[in-house]
């Protein structure tokens, strides 16, 4: 299954035989503002199951960062409750820039479930094109998915530091947080020394759809990525960096590492250095 699915293709899949339909996950979430669950109740894709970032797609915040990886047993329980079975296609969508949907895509891939895609353009594109919207909350039959971690590479702090030195480590945050000009959430400002700023917002166009693979490949080449070079990504808490991993795959660079704890983990340790300014350091 390719990482992205169009609204047209998803609509056709949902109109197909019941046994062949994908499980659709509504993963709308906001750092500030009304909870995604409220938006879900107001309207969602038919049959979509609301899946919370904080309680399903991440573990409890703490030493591992603000959105650490969930416990595999907990994740398996929640994915089964959503009706996901082994081999069942899964489609995730949000209503913003695709980054939370990309977290769902990455997490399912990490869990060993390859049949997963992000809805290109998300909820906004679906609604704008006149596809059906529902307020009915489904009650899916329990699934049988088995979570087997290891399907996607995960970096710890030391590995992220080494990659920033010996390969290419991309920082997905906005420039003011990368430079250390501001830090509204985490303990310290700045970035991992050697990391290159690659704001995740550049991966999608104004309409919320992902940029073509050729454009993404050109962007990563401009950031210094060479063919075959080890590459990884981090952000504030490991969510938006997932969209960098997805964009890299679209651009022909699969298997990028994700520093799951990201800056929220790195900045908790006063012994780890923090670079500031526009240069990697």
């Amino acid at each position: 299954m390719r990482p992205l699915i169009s609204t047209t293709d998803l609509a056709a899949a949902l109109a197909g035989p019941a046994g062949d339909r994908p499980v659709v996950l509504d993963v709308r979430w906001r750092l500030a503002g009304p909870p995604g669950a409220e938006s879900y109740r107001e309207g969602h894709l038919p049959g979509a199951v609301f899946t919370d970032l904080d309680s399903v797609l991440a573990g409890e915040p703490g030493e591992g960062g603000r959105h650490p990886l969930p416990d595999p047993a907990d994740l398996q329980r929640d994915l089964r409750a959503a009706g996901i079975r082994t081999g069942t296609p899964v489609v995730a969508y949000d209503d913003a820039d695709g980054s939370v949907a990309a977290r769902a895509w990455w997490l399912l891939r990490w869990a060993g479930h390859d049949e997963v895609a992000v809805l290109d353009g998300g909820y906004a594109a679906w609604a704008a094109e006149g596809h059906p919207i529902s307020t009915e909350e489904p009650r899916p039959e329990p699934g049988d998915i088995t979570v087997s971690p290891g399907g996607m590479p995960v970096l710890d702090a030391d590995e992220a530091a080494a990659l920033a030195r010996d390969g290419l480590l991309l920082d997905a945050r906005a420039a003011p947080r990368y430079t250390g000009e501001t830090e509204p959430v985490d303990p310290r400002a700045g970035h991992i020394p050697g990391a290159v700023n690659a704001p995740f917002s550049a991966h999608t166009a104004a309409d919320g759809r992902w940029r073509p693979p050729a454009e993404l490949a050109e962007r990563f080449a401009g950031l210094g990525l060479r063919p075959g070079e080890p590459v990884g990504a981090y952000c504030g808490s490991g969510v938006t960096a997932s969209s960098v991993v997805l964009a890299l795959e679209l651009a022909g660079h699969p298997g990028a590492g994700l520093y799951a704890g990201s800056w929220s983990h790195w900045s908790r340790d006063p012994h780890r250095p923090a670079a500031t300014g526009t240069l990697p350091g």
Side-chain angles (χ1 to χ4, degrees):
M1 194 171 188
R2 289 178 292 183
L4 295 180
I5 185 170
S6 69
T7 51
T8 301
D9 287 347
L10 178 57
L14 292 177
D20 297 333
R21 295 171 190 165
V23 172
V24 180
L25 303 180
D26 183 313
V27 297
R28 286 180 278 183
W29 177 88
R30 300 169 187 87
L31 183 60
E38 292 185 10
S39 298
Y40 173 80
R41 286 190 290 269
E42 291 170 359
H44 51 264
L45 272 65
V49 179
F50 182 71
T51 306
D52 184 57
L53 169 64
D54 293 317
S55 61
V56 177
L57 304 181
E60 289 289 333
E63 291 300 319
R66 286 186 282 112
H67 287 117
L69 298 183
D71 177 82
D74 292 342
L75 179 62
Q76 178 172 288
R77 177 201 64 215
D78 292 334
L79 295 180
R80 287 184 174 186
I84 300 176
R85 304 184 64 83
T86 301
T88 299
V90 178
V91 176
Y93 71 88
D94 58 37
D95 62 357
D97 46 42
S99 60
V100 181
R103 168 66 173 228
W105 169 84
W106 184 93
L107 194 63
L108 280 158
R109 291 277 303 271
W110 170 79
H113 192 83
D114 292 334
E115 295 296 305
V116 57
V118 168
L119 177 60
D120 196 12
Y123 182 82
W126 179 271
E129 292 171 8
H131 295 292
I133 300 297
S134 174
T135 56
E136 181 179 350
E137 297 190 23
R139 296 181 179 179
E141 290 290 327
D144 65 0
I145 184 174
T146 297
V147 169
S148 300
M152 294 290 273
V154 179
L155 306 174
D156 62 22
D158 290 339
E159 290 167 333
L163 188 59
R165 182 182 64 247
D166 302 325
L168 181 64
L169 181 66
L170 300 174
D171 184 318
R173 298 173 299 163
R177 291 185 69 190
Y178 172 83
T179 62
E181 178 183 338
T182 183
E183 181 45 69
V185 186
D186 294 316
R188 287 187 291 150
H191 60 265
I192 297 174
V196 173
N197 194 207
F200 74 94
S201 58
H203 301 144
T204 52
D207 63 359
R209 285 183 169 85
W210 291 72
R211 297 190 182 279
E215 285 188 23
L216 293 172
E218 183 178 1
R219 166 173 163 73
F220 290 122
L223 291 168
L225 180 58
R226 300 183 296 272
E229 181 180 28
V231 60
Y234 78 99
C235 57
S237 67
V239 175
T240 57
S242 301
S243 71
V244 179
V245 176
L246 191 154
L248 283 163
E249 183 153 324
L250 292 172
H253 301 281
L258 176 72
Y259 177 18
S262 285
W263 188 250
S264 65
H265 174 258
W266 181 281
S267 60
R268 293 176 70 90
D269 185 347
H271 296 101
R272 292 199 178 277
T276 57
T278 59
L279 299 178

